[in-house]
Amino acid sequence: MKFDHVSIAVRSIDRTYEFFKRYFPVEIRNAKSRDDQVSGSFNWQDFMFGGFAIETIEDLPGQPGFVTKFIERRGEGMHHLSVKVDKLAPLVEALKRDGVRVVDEQTFPDDGAATAFVSPRSAFGILIQFWELPDFDDAIMHGQTDERSAYFDHFAIAVKDINRAMDFFSRYFPAQVIKEPYLSDSQGNFILSHMNVAGRKIEFLQSPGPGTRNDFVAKFIERHGEGLHHFSVGVEGFEPILAKLKADGVRVVDEKINWRGQREFFISPSSAFGALVQIWDGIIKE
């Protein structure tokens, strides 16, 4: 297995790409094209950002479908995670045997590919795509980019129970614990843990419970349910990027020094097509 991309449901692929291109070192991996799947037809395009792919999806012009329904229900934002797998059938069989809800199974005779999705109901609010390719070894290398100017560090998931979430990913993915659950700071604003899952770091976030100061995890889950919370990228040229964002009126929040001693900030979902984007000063690979 290998995590391939995180997908963002947007009203305009072109506007989304132009936004990221204006501020960050990104490059197109696959040009905008149409896709026809069990869930419906849509346009998609992906670009590399710090060695990881960001996919954007939009409905076809004049043909509202599942992307529009998602946006009407939740607003623009992170839609699903996609994982490339060598053999899909035994994985789907194991998932179903354990009572995990698998939806939108589909094969593509033209190239021998196959796909299946794990429902958010079974995966802590996350829609997970498993995608089998006949040229798995070559495919996982496609689109790799220079990570000297930006490095995609992790995506974060807000959950009600970190241990249950970690157990799920350990059961169905190649996974290794990086940091066991711990309180984030002396005030205990949130509990977090890190795992390396299929070649990508996942951060799990959990509320410590009632009475917690600034309990943003509980607020997020109350509003959206469990699910994808943010993704995090370290960049070179931090100061010029921050200055340019502010000059353009992009909403930047929570500027601070993190536990590593790095400056950081978040781009608000209101400015980044529903995605909360954490930016660090400099590149540190754990």
Side-chain angles (χ1 to χ4, degrees), residues 53-66:
I54 307 292
E55 179 188 67
T56 49
I57 56 175
E58 67 179 11
D59 274 330
L60 302 177
Q63 300 181 44
F66 75 90

Side-chain angles (χ1 to χ4, degrees), residues 66-245:
F66 75 90
V67 179
T68 298
K69 291 178 181 177
F70 177 89
I71 292 173
E72 287 176 346
R73 186 174 68 253
R74 296 182 59 115
E76 293 179 295
M78 290 186 283
H79 183 267
H80 69 267
L81 297 175
S82 183
V83 186
K84 291 177 178 175
V85 299
D86 189 17
K87 291 180 173 59
L88 181 61
L91 173 61
V92 169
E93 181 182 350
L95 289 162
K96 289 181 176 179
R97 185 171 59 243
D98 291 345
V100 176
R101 187 164 183 250
V102 178
V103 297
D104 290 353
E105 296 179 68
Q106 187 172 359
T107 58
F108 302 89
D110 290 346
D111 60 6
T115 188
F117 289 79
V118 175
S119 167
R121 297 180 189 177
S122 293
F124 306 91
I126 313 158
L127 179 63
I128 302 175
Q129 178 190 33
F130 289 113
W131 180 24
E132 179 183 328
L133 297 171
D135 56 346
F136 177 80
D137 291 332
D138 293 333
I140 62 173
M141 298 304 296
H142 176 59
Q144 299 299 309
T145 57
D146 192 339
E147 297 175 353
R148 289 176 296 181
S149 56
Y151 179 70
F152 190 104
D153 186 81
H154 67 267
F155 44 82
I157 304 170
V159 298
K160 295 177 181 177
D161 187 329
I162 276 184
N163 291 317
R164 284 186 61 243
M166 293 174 69
D167 287 346
F168 174 86
F169 280 92
S170 295
R171 183 175 181 83
Y172 300 110
F173 294 78
Q176 181 180 8
V177 175
I178 300 172
K179 289 183 181 177
E180 295 283 359
Y182 68 98
L183 286 172
S184 65
D185 56 27
S186 59
Q187 287 76 39
N189 290 339
F190 59 101
I191 301 170
L192 79 159
S193 64
H194 291 149
M195 294 183 74
N196 186 310
V197 179
R200 183 59 53 184
K201 184 163 71 175
I202 297 181
E203 180 176 86
F204 299 93
L205 307 173
Q206 176 190 311
S207 165
T212 303
R213 181 178 65 85
N214 187 28
D215 195 346
F216 70 91
V217 179
K219 291 177 182 177
F220 177 89
I221 292 175
E222 182 179 357
R223 182 175 180 182
H224 302 288
E226 296 178 290
L228 292 165
H229 185 268
H230 70 267
F231 63 84
S232 182
V233 184
V235 298
E236 298 295 345
F238 177 90
E239 189 61 46
I241 290 172
L242 177 58
K244 191 172 185 179
L245 287 162

